[in-house]
Amino acid sequence: MSGTYLGMPAFPAAAREAVGNPTLRGNLRHATHTIRAKRAKAVAEVEDWAELREAGKRIKDHTLRHLDTYLERLEESVTAAGGVVHWAADAEEANRIVTALVKATGESEVVKVKSMATQEIGLNEALEAAGIRAYETDLAELIVQLGKDRPSHILVPAIHRNRGEIRDIFRDEMAAWGRPAPEGLTDTPAELAEAARLHLREKFLRAKVGISGANFMVAETGTLVVVESEGNGRMCLTLPETLISVVGIEKIVPAWRDLEVFLQTLPRSSTAERMNPYTSMWTGTTDEDGPGTFHLVLLDNGRTDTLADEVGRQALRCIRCSACLNVCPVYERAGGHAYGSVYPGPIGAILSPQLRGTGSEIDASLPYASSLCGACYEVCPVAIDIPEVLVHLRERVVQGGPVTRAGNKVVLRPAKGHAAERAAMRAARWAFGRPGALRTGQRLASRTRRFHPRTLPGPGRAWSATRELPPVPAEPFRDWWQRTHGGEAGGK
Amino acid sequence: MSSRERILGRVRRALADVPGDDTPYERAVVRDYLREHGGRTVDETVDLLAENLADYRAIVHRCAAGELPSLIAALLSGRGARTVLVPPGLDPGWLAAAGAERIPDRAESDPHELDRVDSVVTACAVAIAETGTIVLDGGPDQGRRRITLVPDHHICVVRVPDQVVSSVPQALGRLDPVRPSTWISGPSATSDIELDRVEGVHGPRTLEVVLVSGR
């Protein structure tokens, strides 16, 4: 994945820094609370939400279970419709393919539609290294790009910025990228949107190459779907002569008809709208309408490794609506940057460690970036049981075990930082298996309770730093029961 | 080995647990969701379309077929439009009363030329009442995708009730996947500033939808 995130500190360290920033806390709280209420209302409007959710889950599950078949079918239909299909096993290969395609056009700049896949692979950086300037055209991506910042939300990458900060970024940075911000720009959202319109229009009108992702690819017909709001997507998808779409292999649905489910659940779940302002669908190329050349780059980059995990593969059902971020109490406080990935929040906590492996400090810590409250599962429009996968990945980190990395089966060693946890669990297993020892231990703990420290010493300190140690009762429960109910039936 | 073979090989190895006789698509996907939400008469469906279009800031007009030319002329002159883009197959009668200069939708047009045009008038392929959506599929009376994108003012004519369906599933059933389609629900908007919806970014900032009834 993108080099931008290499060397990120583990989640607890990054989160600690984030929660100390009152502006960030305020911005996140305001935005997530705004969308939560609206989303609940948009979902409540359709009485068959549960059925749509179940159908979405099943369509995605079925597709994943037969992904090879559907990939081949998609390739066939896209090719038949005039598109060219490329396959990229990892980020580096995808970047190489796209760079070569852009170079072949002779152009040195491209316009981009917001795309998680191209962020994941660090495409902009790769293009820049090859002397090609990539202009982000989504308003939030523009804010991030101009502010030399990192995205912090799947849908609204600049959610960590409030209107005042956005005004400052536009005023200070737009001139270096093209048309400067209008004189006297205020922080009203309408004026900020107008400034972005003016700034980007000249880029759209002269663009010869567009780069996009896609929300869905229909195997049966070869149709790609991009769901958006601003119209920047339509600009990039229709005005340039060459269109290059980089799409994760899990974005397939088998049939045209399957769109009827996701086009109902995605807008309501993400922006809380009955329907997003613009959805574009295209099948290969069309004579004299839109780009004459269309390339589709199918991206693996850890997806097949994720697919190999029978519990974890459900993360590939994700349609990137970001509802799980907006309801998550951890995300609301820590913000997106602490997750050290383009995929923040609950879905990121299960997706990043699977796409990238749990080798780095940040990836090994992500499965713990959750209180397991389950709000994410509740709102997920494709019913990804995020808590289940989190617990599964925690087990993987602590115990190690077989995993697939870059297509190869390897055995992961238990993570270093969890020796104390493993020792504690071993001790617990030993004690619970020996009632006599357990009884003696409990009595000892009760008698010495006045001397118990409030925090654990040594390796246990990290655990008790954020948790209260449970108070030990004056008398173990079993002893109390024996003493007060000892003679009654049922008592032993 | 090509990356294609490598990726397909990885997929197949990853799916070793999936039995050869896994439930087929038709049975794996249960479609017990609704084909449309709520029961409405045809007129009520058209009313719902008007209501939902307006809810997302499209400006909705209703008229009888005979009044359409004068309405379109009024809408164009109301905006002060001097030029109007016209798809090749648009009913010429619709613009019969309009004073604006007609600019044909041509393949050779450069995006900068389109940017200088004030308005565009099109028909649509289908409209969805429950979501307040109009869908264009590049038909002769709708033109290339870009003509409804670059000008700042789009007038879209929907023939009611024939072109109106209730729901998304019904709309997909009417569309041909081979044709490029654009689904439009209100004017261009964004939720990128503090997750609140603001109208008017890159697409037409004014969307006027004319619901025309009768032949």
Side-chain angles (χ1 to χ4, degrees):
Chain A
M1 285 175 77
S2 165
T4 325
Y5 296 97
L6 284 183
M8 276 289 294
F11 183 81
R16 192 171 303 121
E17 201 186 310
V19 294
N21 179 342
T23 310
L24 179 68
R25 292 277 302 263
N27 294 352
L28 285 169
R29 189 185 148 77
H30 172 68
T32 54
H33 285 246
T34 304
I35 194 76
R36 262 180 226 177
K38 285 203 288 188
R39 181 194 175 276
K41 196 169 152 241
V43 166
E45 245 183 44
V46 280
E47 66 262 43
D48 58 341
W49 184 259
E51 288 79 10
L52 286 167
R53 183 180 189 237
E54 181 64 19
K57 169 182 186 266
R58 291 194 182 208
I59 291 167
K60 284 283 188 174
D61 267 349
H62 169 81
T63 314
L64 290 169
R65 289 168 73 83
H66 302 275
L67 192 58
D68 51 336
T69 310
Y70 289 117
L71 278 168
E72 287 182 310
R73 194 168 298 168
L74 177 79
E75 180 186 41
E76 200 178 307
S77 41
V78 169
T79 308
V84 184
V85 178
H86 309 260
W87 301 70
D90 54 26
E92 200 246 313
E93 186 175 15
N95 288 333
R96 205 168 55 229
I97 293 169
V98 176
T99 306
L101 289 172
V102 177
K103 289 227 148 173
T105 65
E107 293 295 317
S108 60
E109 61 175 45
V110 299
V111 286
K112 280 188 69 202
V113 194
K114 176 172 163 15
S115 134
M116 296 307 299
T118 60
Q119 289 230 356
E120 175 191 320
I121 61 176
L123 179 63
N124 290 6
E125 292 78 9
L127 289 173
E128 197 185 325
I132 298 160
R133 203 158 202 202
Y135 295 114
E136 290 293 350
T137 63
D138 169 75
L139 177 53
E141 295 280 9
L142 176 70
I143 296 164
V144 168
Q145 189 172 45
L146 293 177
K148 299 175 192 67
D149 200 354
R150 284 186 291 120
S152 70
H153 190 277
I154 290 175
L155 180 75
V156 198
I159 194 171
H160 57 290
R161 299 289 195 185
N162 61 38
R163 56 187 76 187
E165 294 173 284
I166 296 168
R167 192 265 323 271
D168 294 348
I169 292 171
F170 279 11
R171 193 187 51 203
D172 300 341
E173 305 295 338
M174 268 185 170
W177 288 79
R179 182 172 173 154
E183 282 292 319
L185 180 67
T186 74
D187 67 357
T188 55
E191 269 195 47
L192 296 171
E194 166 76 8
R197 178 186 173 96
L198 294 170
H199 178 77
L200 288 171
R201 182 143 290 230
E202 57 173 18
K203 295 184 169 55
F204 289 133
L205 297 181
R206 70 166 188 247
K208 297 284 183 262
V209 183
I211 296 183
S212 82
N215 295 90
F216 307 101
M217 307 187 281
V218 183
E220 174 190 38
T221 60
T223 308
L224 267 72
V225 182
V226 164
V227 172
E228 55 137 350
S229 296
E230 296 167 15
N232 64 308
R234 292 179 66 193
M235 292 276 182
C236 297
L237 298 170
T238 53
L239 294 184
E241 291 161 6
T242 302
L243 172 63
I244 305 168
S245 300
V246 182
V247 189
I249 53 173
E250 83 284 17
K251 295 281 170 183
I252 300 190
V253 296
W256 173 253
R257 191 186 172 186
D258 296 324
L259 295 175
E260 70 189 24
V261 175
F262 301 109
L263 289 179
Q264 295 192 74
T265 51
L266 178 55
R268 289 181 195 267
S269 207
S270 63
T271 49
E273 292 165 310
R274 285 182 206 106
M275 188 61 89
N276 50 291
Y278 297 132
T279 298
S280 294
M281 304 188 189
W282 72 98
T283 305
T285 55
T286 305
D287 284 345
E288 297 194 338
D289 183 1
T293 309
F294 169 54
H295 295 278
L296 171 61
V297 181
L298 295 171
L299 178 72
D300 179 350
N301 204 34
R303 285 161 177 76
T304 50
D305 293 345
T306 309
L307 189 66
D309 186 318
E310 288 176 41
V311 178
R313 70 166 60 129
Q314 58 182 305
L316 297 175
R317 291 204 296 259
C318 178
I319 55 173
R320 311 280 190 264
C321 75
S322 71
C324 63
L325 280 64
N326 299 333
V327 297
C328 178
V330 176
Y331 177 86
E332 182 191 332
R333 288 163 180 84
H337 290 155
Y339 292 82
S341 159
V342 297
Y343 302 110
I347 186 65
I350 62 168
L351 206 49
S352 310
Q354 296 200 86
L355 293 177
R356 306 193 292 204
T358 49
S360 73
E361 212 182 325
I362 177 70
D363 288 319
S365 70
L366 283 176
Y368 294 87
S370 168
S371 64
L372 301 181
C373 78
C376 47
Y377 176 38
E378 186 87 20
V379 297
C380 178
V382 285
I384 301 170
D385 192 341
I386 294 178
E388 181 192 18
V389 183
L390 285 167
V391 172
H392 170 72
L393 293 175
R394 287 180 186 187
E395 196 178 300
R396 161 84 47 72
V397 170
V398 175
Q399 283 192 340
V403 291
T404 307
R405 298 305 317 150
N408 300 310
K409 286 202 164 63
V410 292
V411 176
L412 201 68
R413 288 221 304 256
K416 280 203 186 78
H418 296 272
E421 189 178 348
R422 279 193 298 275
M425 287 302 163
R426 268 199 301 274
R429 189 169 58 200
W430 184 86
F432 285 122
R434 289 166 181 78
L438 182 64
R439 197 157 49 237
T440 311
Q442 284 177 332
R443 284 177 186 160
L444 187 67
S446 286
R447 278 185 210 128
T448 57
R449 69 189 196 122
R450 276 191 297 144
F451 308 110
H452 291 178
R454 297 185 68 93
T455 55
L456 289 174
R461 190 176 307 157
W463 191 85
S464 61
T466 51
R467 296 169 184 85
E468 296 280 318
L469 280 182
V472 175
E475 180 181 25
F477 174 79
R478 282 160 193 269
D479 287 1
W480 171 82
W481 184 268
Q482 191 62 250
R483 182 165 58 78
T484 55
H485 300 72
E488 290 175 23
K492 277 204 228 166
Chain B
M1 188 179 7
S2 72
S3 288
R4 179 184 189 277
E5 299 317 311
R6 181 173 298 126
I7 293 170
L8 287 172
R10 285 178 182 178
V11 169
R12 286 174 189 131
R13 284 197 300 281
L15 295 172
D17 62 298
V18 177
D21 61 348
D22 198 39
T23 316
Y25 171 76
E26 292 71 23
R27 280 193 287 122
V29 182
V30 178
R31 298 186 194 271
D32 53 0
Y33 49 86
L34 302 171
R35 301 310 299 168
E36 63 181 290
H37 297 88
R40 284 176 299 269
T41 64
V42 170
D43 286 348
E44 283 166 347
T45 301
V46 174
D47 290 345
L48 182 66
L49 172 67
E51 191 184 310
N52 282 336
L53 280 164
D55 192 34
Y56 283 161
R57 306 286 185 277
I59 302 166
V60 181
H61 309 273
R62 303 182 74 155
C63 73
E67 301 157 350
L68 186 60
S70 58
L71 176 61
I72 289 178
L75 296 179
L76 288 171
S77 63
R79 285 268 308 185
R82 281 164 314 182
T83 47
V84 57
L85 266 161
V86 185
L90 195 78
D91 185 335
W94 290 5
L95 285 170
E101 182 194 346
R102 289 133 176 85
I103 311 286
D105 167 27
R106 297 179 311 146
E108 310 83 71
S109 294
D110 158 80
H112 289 94
E113 289 171 46
L114 302 180
D115 195 35
R116 288 190 288 271
V117 181
D118 297 316
S119 302
V120 57
V121 178
T122 70
C124 74
V126 63
I128 309 168
E130 287 179 9
T131 57
T133 304
I134 50 173
V135 185
L136 309 185
D137 72 352
D141 53 4
Q142 299 150 56
R144 293 174 179 79
R145 284 172 281 173
R146 60 185 193 175
I147 66 164
T148 53
L149 173 63
V150 182
D152 205 15
H153 177 219
H154 179 195
I155 299 173
C156 182
V157 178
V158 183
R159 295 183 190 87
V160 302
D162 300 357
Q163 290 191 305
V164 183
V165 297
S166 278
S167 66
V168 171
Q170 291 169 348
L172 280 161
R174 284 209 191 182
L175 293 168
D176 176 359
V178 172
R179 308 182 71 91
S181 64
T182 306
W183 298 46
I184 300 172
S185 309
S188 161
T190 183
S191 301
D192 279 353
I193 301 166
E194 300 175 4
L195 266 172
D196 221 354
R197 185 173 159 128
V198 187
E199 276 80 21
V201 200
H202 304 296
R205 285 179 289 189
T206 307
L207 172 66
E208 303 204 63
V209 180
V210 181
L211 306 180
V212 58
S213 49
R215 206 195 47 79

